[in-house]
């Protein structure tokens, strides 16, 4: 499967930052996944900022998944995902809903593979991001993204490549040819144990 452009450097970032918390912060979360036939899955979360809960409702007939994120103040953020067409996904989310007539923001996401090209489109109230990725050879994926924001004089762009082979990977991306990010990850075996080592270098834009 072709890696999405937005995930070119995901493995490196996750290894470097996902399980690292700032001083004074903490987090507990449940990541239960429903089995075949399960229609409701409940996952509570708690951190130093408060308590939330994710409730997923799956419709086995049409293939959509309804997800509601609720916090202690009663704030509800709904999201519906539709995967009725193989290889395609459509997701609609509301970022803030206080009552039925008050919707502050919305987001529509499309993900799909067309003729071997992985397409991702993220449409929000004041912006749109369109990204593509293509596996040129089994080990190399190339991609790019065009970003448009309301009020900007010109759209922004980014491009990059991802090399993956035998557990090793290297990702190089640039944003507007002004900033550059290089991320590398590779497996290491020592004393009978297997490890993963990652590094990331950012340059440009005064860095």
């Amino acid at each position: 499967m072709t890696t999405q452009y937005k995930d070119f450097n995901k493995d490196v970032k996750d290894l470097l930052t996902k399980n690292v918390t700032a001083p004074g912060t903490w987090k507990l979360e449940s990541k239960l996944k429903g089995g075949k036939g399960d229609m409701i899955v409940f996952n509570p979360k708690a951190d130093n900022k408060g308590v939330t809960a994710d409730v997923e409702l799956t419709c086995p007939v049409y293939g959509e998944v309804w997800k509601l994120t609720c916090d202690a103040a009663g704030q509800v953020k709904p999201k519906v995902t539709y995967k009725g067409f193989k290889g395609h996904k459509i997701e609609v989310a509301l970022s803030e809903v206080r009552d039925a007539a008050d919707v502050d923001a919305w987001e529509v996401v499309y993900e799909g593979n067309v003729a071997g090209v992985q397409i991702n489109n993220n449409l929000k109230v004041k912006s749109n991001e369109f990204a593509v990725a293509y596996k040129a050879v089994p080990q190399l994926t190339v991609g790019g993204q065009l970003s448009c924001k309301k009020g900007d004089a010109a759209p922004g762009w980014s491009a990059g490549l991802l090399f993956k082979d035998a557990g090793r990977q290297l990702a190089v991306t640039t944003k507007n040819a002004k900033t550059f990010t290089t991320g590398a990850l590779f497996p290491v075996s020592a004393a009978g144990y297997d490890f993963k080592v990652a590094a990331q270098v950012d340059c440009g834009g005064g860095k």
Side-chain angles (χ1 to χ4, degrees), residues 96-119:
E96 187 173 357
V97 178
R98 284 190 287 266
D99 57 55
D102 186 10
V103 179
D104 288 337
W106 50 265
E107 179 180 11
V108 179
V109 178
Y110 166 77
E111 297 178 4
N113 192 294
V114 179
V117 179
Q118 182 67 32
I119 299 174

Side-chain angles (χ1 to χ4, degrees), residues 4-8 109-110 118-124 127-134 142-149 155-161 173-177:
Q4 299 179 27
Y5 177 72
K6 66 183 180 67
D7 293 334
F8 271 22
V109 178
Y110 166 77
Q118 182 67 32
I119 299 174
N120 298 79
N121 193 73
N122 189 322
L123 177 63
K124 297 182 180 180
S127 66
N128 186 46
E129 294 180 347
F130 180 80
V132 296
Y134 178 72
V142 296
Q145 177 175 286
L146 187 66
S147 303
C148 303
K149 291 185 179 180
W157 63 271
S158 63
L161 57 84
T173 58
T174 179
K175 186 175 182 180
N176 298 320

Side-chain angles (χ1 to χ4, degrees), residues 11 16 21 47 60 67 85 130 149 152 185 189 205:
D11 291 343
L16 293 174
T21 57
D47 57 25
K67 181 177 180 180
F85 301 102
F130 180 80
K149 291 185 179 180
D152 285 356
L185 182 150
S189 297

Side-chain angles (χ1 to χ4, degrees), residues 174-180 202-207:
T174 179
K175 186 175 182 180
N176 298 320
K178 295 180 179 179
T179 61
F180 299 84
D202 298 311
C203 59
K207 296 183 179 180

Side-chain angles (χ1 to χ4, degrees), residues 10-23:
K10 182 179 185 299
D11 291 343
V12 172
K13 288 184 177 179
D14 284 352
L15 190 60
L16 293 174
T17 65
K18 192 169 185 178
N19 294 317
V20 179
T21 57

